[in-house]
Amino acid sequence: MSVINNEDVEKVLKKFEPVMGLEVHAQLKTTTKLMSAASNQFGSSPNTAVSTICTGMPGALPVLNKKAVQMALQAGLALDCEIQKRSVFSRKHYFYPDLPKGYQISQYDRPYALKGAVQFYLNGEKRKIALTRIHLEEDAGKNLHFDDRGVSLVDLNRSSVPLIEIVSEPEIRSTAEAAAYLKALRLALRYLDICEGNLEEGNFRCDANISLRPRGEQKFGTRVELKNINSFRNLERAITYEILRQADLLDSGGKITQETRLWDADQNKSISMRSKEEAADYRYMPEPDLLPLEIVERDIEDIRKKLPEMPIARMDRFIRDYGRNIYDADVLTASSSLADYYETVSKAIQDPQLASTFIQTNVLAHIANVETDIETFFPDAKALSDLLLKMKDKTLSLNLAKEVFEIMMAEKKPAAQIISEKGMAQVSDDSALLAVIEKVIAENPGQLAELKAGKDKLFGFFMGQCQKALGGKGNPATLKELLEKKLKG
Ligand code: ADP
Ligand code: MG
């Protein structure tokens, strides 16, 4: 079973309800590691961003990174979690070459944040998926496999990179909802500027837990954990594949084994990696080299006060205050810098609708990355506002405004300068327009006769001829009005 057929999926979904909970590991954008002063810089050459702690040297003691704790708290507060005043680090033991200490320092039974939720819109409705917890932990190193040389080497640069693990309740009910949840969570972390949020690069990783239950059944089925999902496309494929696999098994009287499966994107299927490890297998014990993490109310309040407006709140405000629909609000809040850009323009020109359509159809067409590109884009918010004001005061028609916009991008000049240099202002003056209208009418007696005889379509012909004579700069509304009077009056 490697080709996914939509009809099969529909049939299965009539019978079974998927139940999902996601575990997300997000790397925090700190300068240094979670437990050491080594650099947390992605892309350094192997084993250069390391310290005795990252390499697990005996006797090296961990020192908790305050900045990582602050970022973790930002996430916890922004996602409405209950921050725990006292949380505890534990050792999670397992053997693997990329983990020289033999254990990962993680929070286990006493995480720093409980509950909370991720909110987003799906199919026009607001959804809220509850979180179980968020905890802080350090990342492990990475094994690099060189098949051509027949060797595997270990890179410890990732060792002790700070992570928060965000665990959702099993409240997700469809593939689309899983993707929407993950996007909303990623956007929240990006607004906070604490995680790159890049699945492909592995700084934002997602494990999907999935079970099926017959529709109408209350009890959850046995779950399978899917790992190695490194894109949104793979998330959807892996989940769909797993839904079909489990349905097949259940339909043929089989039982689901609780296990961890790896998604193989090349082969479009998942393979069993290991039967699900139990917590007891990890021999968790409190980390004796670190004190419990104590967080005081004042620090929590300081961080809470500085939180930016989060994406869902901003979306709701755009809907409420700027009359946007869900789609527009979603597009315009795709990054906080884009949302700022929209809001500045919208206020400056006092026209949220024009700002929204012009930005979506013109600005966004030239922007690959809504986060970084918009910050260096020209026309910036001020320059775009000035351009659109030239539309509002009728100096420019929409078509002329688009032309000026293109020139602004190319020449990096303000709208007013381009309009005067290239003589691009539209002609709204009645007498100038009438002169052209009279000339066009005089030159086309045949068409005039036909129009008078009832061929109304020819009105468009006269509009076109006038605009042509005006180099496309006739104020369309005024021109139409005057032409109508002349021809029909
Ligand atoms: P572990 O850390 O061992 O994977 P957790 O108890 O933290 O286990 O749960 C992991 C994830 O599995 C959570 O996101 C949770 O919502 C989800 N989950 C739990 N039970 C089910 C189930 N029956 N079906 C689908 N997902 C589930
Ligand atoms: Mg898990």
Side-chain angles (χ1 to χ4, degrees), residues 300-400:
I300 296 177
E301 284 320 308
D302 276 354
I303 291 172
R304 195 197 299 276
K305 263 187 271 162
K306 288 188 208 126
L307 286 179
E309 186 179 27
M310 295 308 287
I312 190 78
R314 206 151 192 194
M315 260 187 92
D316 284 341
R317 196 164 55 77
F318 281 14
I319 291 168
R320 199 179 57 235
D321 294 354
Y322 297 122
R324 298 300 84 218
N325 58 28
I326 294 174
Y327 176 85
D328 284 353
D330 189 47
V331 172
L332 295 169
T333 55
S335 77
S336 56
S337 31
L338 176 62
D340 289 346
Y341 185 92
Y342 168 70
E343 226 175 334
T344 308
V345 175
S346 186
K347 280 185 192 150
I349 68 170
Q350 290 289 305
D351 189 339
Q353 176 62 47
L354 175 62
S356 171
T357 37
F358 202 93
I359 290 174
Q360 287 188 62
T361 48
N362 299 287
V363 177
L364 291 183
H366 297 280
I367 278 181
N369 182 323
V370 287
E371 224 168 322
T372 51
D373 294 353
I374 191 77
E375 284 166 14
T376 52
F377 186 74
F378 191 87
D380 58 14
K382 167 82 172 65
L384 185 72
S385 304
D386 291 344
L387 169 68
L388 296 183
L389 284 171
K390 293 285 179 202
M391 248 183 95
K392 307 261 326 164
D393 74 7
K394 304 275 192 307
T395 308
L396 298 175
S397 64
L398 175 60
N399 281 336
L400 282 172

Side-chain angles (χ1 to χ4, degrees), residues 23 207 209 223 225 276:
E23 292 166 275
D207 302 337
N209 293 269
R223 74 178 150 116
E225 183 179 63
K276 176 73 191 160

Side-chain angles (χ1 to χ4, degrees), residues 19 21-23 167-170 209-211 220-221 223 225 276:
V19 170
L22 301 191
E23 292 166 275
V167 182
S168 88
E169 286 289 300
N209 293 269
I210 309 174
S211 63
F220 289 157
R223 74 178 150 116
E225 183 179 63
K276 176 73 191 160

